Amino acid sequence: MFLKNKKYIRAVNTGGIFSNCFSSSYPQTVVSKIILNHFKKSGKKPKCIFIGWDGCRCDAMKYLIKSESEKVSGGNGNFHYSAVNFLKNSGGVYITYVGGDNGFQQETSTAQGWASALCGKWMKPLWKTGIEWSLDEDYPTVMQTLAKQGYKTSFSCIWPIHFDKTYKNEIEYAQEHDLQQLFFKFETDDELHTNMLERINSEDDFIFGIYENPDINGHGTNFGDENYRYVAGICNLDTLSFDLIREIQSRPSADEEDWLIVIGSDHGGHLTRHGTQKTEDRTTFLAVSKPLEELLES
């Protein structure tokens, strides 16, 4: 049973923030489709960077984007160094959801969340064993799909379970078949960020990296949108993500390339936890450099 929080829904439905409304939320699984469509349809050399904000709630966007109500977002304007505002102006910012649909419930947690986005489908029935599973041949990620097509892809993160469990089989497959599919593990967001900048200038075609700051602050102090530590962490990450966009724009070959820039989250949270079917856990966001409707066209 999906547990709806009407107050939360009213907050995310405030005009001016999102390109859609709560009732027309997109499933998180569209991420894989828009990335693969971009590589299939692009007229220039296709490139994509997917910037993951682990544990970022959907309603946090009101601190980054000016809404139509000052009671919701105050008087903040479009910050010049905001990645989310940059993507909103070029493409859109959308309400999405995790945790399954059509009667199927998937745990709103990290392993399942990112895997659903990268594979384009819910983790059924793998989710039943929590994080103690590895993706098999029925769940190829966009990283593997693109690598098989000859593209160079990279995955950068901090959480060890991504390597020890979830993507263990895919890592071994890439090594056995000599695919240009790279995996990088780091200890901090700062280390990860340095590597993300390096990946942009290392001729990777698809770059995926997961920043942990929102999730760490949520578990440590509260996922609530009124918790200043949680909000400050997201605002700082917004600026940090814009740093990646500027690096892309400064590439000498930028005019010959077609970059799709994506920012999204694996789950939300409530109090100091997540994983349930509560609205705060299920509702996520997706910021894209091109209109989502255009990217979803086959």
Side-chain angles (χ1 to χ4, degrees), residues 179-243:
L179 295 179
Q180 291 192 91
Q181 185 177 355
L182 309 176
F183 293 83
F184 301 92
K185 182 183 180 303
F186 300 97
E187 297 298 323
T188 67
D189 275 3
D190 286 342
E191 292 177 1
L192 184 141
H193 185 66
T194 298
N195 182 69
M196 291 287 279
L197 292 169
E198 292 175 353
R199 299 328 306 165
I200 290 171
N201 293 302
S202 298
E203 301 311 316
D204 292 9
D205 299 300
F206 173 75
I207 302 165
F208 176 52
I210 305 171
Y211 291 84
E212 296 286 347
N213 189 274
D215 194 62
I216 291 172
N217 285 349
H219 284 301
T221 63
N222 195 300
F223 281 93
D225 65 314
E226 296 181 356
N227 173 17
Y228 74 90
R229 293 183 182 87
Y230 181 68
V231 173
I234 292 169
C235 292
N236 290 338
L237 184 51
D238 183 42
T239 306
L240 202 63
S241 298
F242 188 74
D243 194 27

Side-chain angles (χ1 to χ4, degrees), residues 139-150:
Y139 293 84
T141 67
V142 292
M143 298 174 296
Q144 184 183 83
T145 299
L146 292 173
K148 285 183 175 180
Q149 295 174 11

Side-chain angles (χ1 to χ4, degrees), residues 118-134:
L118 293 172
C119 297
K121 49 187 172 182
W122 304 119
M123 296 295 104
K124 181 182 182 180
L126 297 175
W127 72 278
K128 293 181 180 179
T129 53
I131 60 175
E132 300 300 316
W133 48 259
S134 298

Side-chain angles (χ1 to χ4, degrees), residues 87 103 121 161 163 275 278 281 292 298:
L87 299 184
K121 49 187 172 182
I161 289 174
F163 298 90
K278 288 179 176 291
D281 291 4
L292 194 57
S298 299

Side-chain angles (χ1 to χ4, degrees), residues 10-292:
R10 285 196 300 270
V12 299
N13 275 338
T14 302
I17 299 178
F18 297 101
S19 303
N20 61 333
C21 61
F22 183 86
S23 62
S24 60
S25 300
Y26 289 94
Q28 182 192 40
T29 51
V30 302
V31 175
S32 172
K33 182 174 182 178
I34 65 173
I35 292 171
L36 294 178
N37 277 355
H38 172 70
F39 278 85
K40 180 174 63 176
K41 296 165 54 178
S42 179
K44 296 183 178 182
K45 184 176 182 180
K47 297 270 192 177
C48 176
I49 185 169
F50 180 10
I51 308 167
W53 292 10
D54 201 293
C56 181
R57 283 172 41 141
C58 178
D59 61 343
M61 293 303 103
K62 68 174 177 282
Y63 291 105
L64 306 177
I65 302 170
K66 183 176 175 58
S67 73
E68 295 174 356
S69 171
E70 290 186 357
K71 292 182 178 179
V72 174
S73 60
N76 66 312
N78 289 340
F79 184 42
H80 294 299
Y81 304 106
S82 165
V84 167
N85 277 286
F86 176 89
L87 299 184
K88 178 179 174 61
N89 292 333
S90 62
V93 180
Y94 302 86
I95 303 171
T96 53
Y97 64 89
V98 299
D101 53 19
N102 298 323
F104 169 68
Q105 294 185 10
Q106 175 176 295
E107 187 175 324
T108 54
S109 294
T110 295
Q112 293 85 345
W114 292 126
S116 292
L118 293 172
C119 297
K121 49 187 172 182
W122 304 119
M123 296 295 104
K124 181 182 182 180
L126 297 175
W127 72 278
K128 293 181 180 179
T129 53
I131 60 175
E132 300 300 316
W133 48 259
S134 298
L135 296 172
D136 58 28
E137 63 273 9
D138 293 328
Y139 293 84
T141 67
V142 292
M143 298 174 296
Q144 184 183 83
T145 299
L146 292 173
K148 285 183 175 180
Q149 295 174 11
Y151 292 106
K152 182 180 179 182
T153 71
S154 61
F155 177 105
S156 302
C157 70
I158 295 170
W159 199 39
I161 289 174
H162 289 311
F163 298 90
D164 300 339
K165 298 293 181 180
T166 314
Y167 303 98
K168 181 175 182 291
N169 291 340
E170 191 154 304
I171 293 171
E172 293 175 352
Y173 183 93
Q175 293 172 341
E176 292 170 2
H177 293 80
D178 198 26
L179 295 179
Q180 291 192 91
Q181 185 177 355
L182 309 176
F183 293 83
F184 301 92
K185 182 183 180 303
F186 300 97
E187 297 298 323
T188 67
D189 275 3
D190 286 342
E191 292 177 1
L192 184 141
H193 185 66
T194 298
N195 182 69
M196 291 287 279
L197 292 169
E198 292 175 353
R199 299 328 306 165
I200 290 171
N201 293 302
S202 298
E203 301 311 316
D204 292 9
D205 299 300
F206 173 75
I207 302 165
F208 176 52
I210 305 171
Y211 291 84
E212 296 286 347
N213 189 274
D215 194 62
I216 291 172
N217 285 349
H219 284 301
T221 63
N222 195 300
F223 281 93
D225 65 314
E226 296 181 356
N227 173 17
Y228 74 90
R229 293 183 182 87
Y230 181 68
V231 173
I234 292 169
C235 292
N236 290 338
L237 184 51
D238 183 42
T239 306
L240 202 63
S241 298
F242 188 74
D243 194 27
L244 299 177
I245 296 175
R246 286 192 296 187
E247 193 71 16
I248 290 171
Q249 293 175 325
S250 67
R251 282 175 55 83
S253 55
D255 290 340
E256 289 79 47
E257 299 167 343
D258 182 10
W259 280 86
L260 176 66
I261 303 170
V262 181
I263 299 177
S265 180
D266 54 340
H267 57 75
H270 69 282
L271 300 178
T272 56
R273 58 172 295 208
H274 54 80
T276 76
Q277 293 297 316
K278 288 179 176 291
T279 306
E280 303 94 310
D281 291 4
R282 281 178 57 86
T283 314
T284 48
F285 78 98
L286 188 66
V288 196
S289 60
K290 298 183 179 182
L292 194 57

